[in-house]
Amino acid sequence: MKYLTKAWYETMQFTDLHFDKRINEKAAYYDDDLFKRFYKRRENAFVKQEREVYNVDPRDIYAPDGVSIESVLSGEYKPTVEDIILESRLTWGIELTPEDILIVEMTEDEKVAIKKEIEAFDNRSPFDVEAAKLQFKQIYESDLESIKKIPEHIVDQIKDERMFALGYCTKEIYNILKQFGKENQKYVDTVLSEYHQAQEAQNIPERILENFGFHDCLITVVIQEQDKLVLKFDTKSGFTTIDEVVFVKPKIIEGASILSKYWIYHELYRVDGGYEVHILLDGDEMVEFTFLCEEIHFPKSN
């Protein structure tokens, strides 16, 4: 990678460390009793939130107020543009215009899926408080472990990493995190701007540009032969329906194990005789994969 490197990506992870932190000067001390009280407070809040989500009736999601889910699924009720504008304003506080709205009729498959969702809701087991507590514990432990990734000069100033993992810090630490994030954001934005300029200068055919977007797709198949490199994807977490790309006559520059990794970012350059492809992937470890190829095809997009 020339721009969107592993180092750049890692820096991007440190632009918002202050976002979820609450200022509490008691975090300036290492106090077991204080930690236990705050842990219980955050745990209770998490369990309450999970319970509320668990008890959200699908009928309330798919049917507007005053409209039965039966009339929605039967097609008796059909929303108008005015209905959607009003619902968005009252429910989400979003002001839409008629131009923002495209009404699409619900398919039979979607109706079946909604019915199954309602059936599952009606027959669900009681909310599992202990499972929610365990989930909170796992999130907390993950946040505690992630502190190791923060630069040492900041971690050394944190008095109680347990409180920090819960989301509490002193105003001094908050300001340090905020300034650190601001500096990192400036670097990230500068590199991103340079990347976009470099990509815009490439003479890449439109058919490739419009299809070459596999961000967050999981690589499930890698077929590497002398005359081609085939990658197949699970696109559920991505932003594309294209699940296969073929690189003709590849020549590896920087190799890596890419199977079962997520395609995060890429750079694509026009070179004599074809293209230079850079891919940043994440999984059990983050890797950069770079190669040359003569042509790029998308079998299912033809």
Side-chain angles (χ1 to χ4, degrees), residues 222-236:
V222 178
I223 302 174
Q224 190 168 344
E225 301 174 349
Q226 185 174 358
D227 63 339
K228 66 180 179 180
L229 169 64
V230 179
L231 303 183
K232 296 185 180 182
F233 305 93
D234 178 342
T235 64
K236 287 196 295 290

Side-chain angles (χ1 to χ4, degrees), residues 199-255:
Q199 292 297 282
E200 289 171 2
Q202 306 304 309
N203 184 26
I204 309 294
E206 192 63 31
R207 69 168 185 84
I208 293 179
L209 286 178
E210 63 185 16
N211 291 316
F212 205 75
F214 301 105
H215 183 71
D216 281 352
C217 292
L218 176 67
I219 297 179
T220 56
V221 175
V222 178
I223 302 174
Q224 190 168 344
E225 301 174 349
Q226 185 174 358
D227 63 339
K228 66 180 179 180
L229 169 64
V230 179
L231 303 183
K232 296 185 180 182
F233 305 93
D234 178 342
T235 64
K236 287 196 295 290
S237 59
F239 305 88
T240 180
T241 57
I242 297 175
D243 60 5
E244 183 176 349
V245 59
V246 178
F247 301 98
V248 178
K249 294 186 178 179
K251 181 180 179 182
I252 307 301
I253 297 176
E254 182 178 6

Side-chain angles (χ1 to χ4, degrees), residues 8 10-17 151 154 177-191:
W8 172 84
E10 289 166 357
T11 300
M12 185 167 59
Q13 309 313 304
F14 296 122
T15 60
D16 60 356
L17 289 175
I154 295 179
L177 295 175
K178 187 174 181 180
Q179 181 59 33
F180 182 61
K182 184 178 180 180
E183 293 168 358
N184 287 336
Q185 188 66 62
K186 182 178 180 180
Y187 166 75
V188 168
D189 291 344
T190 297
V191 173

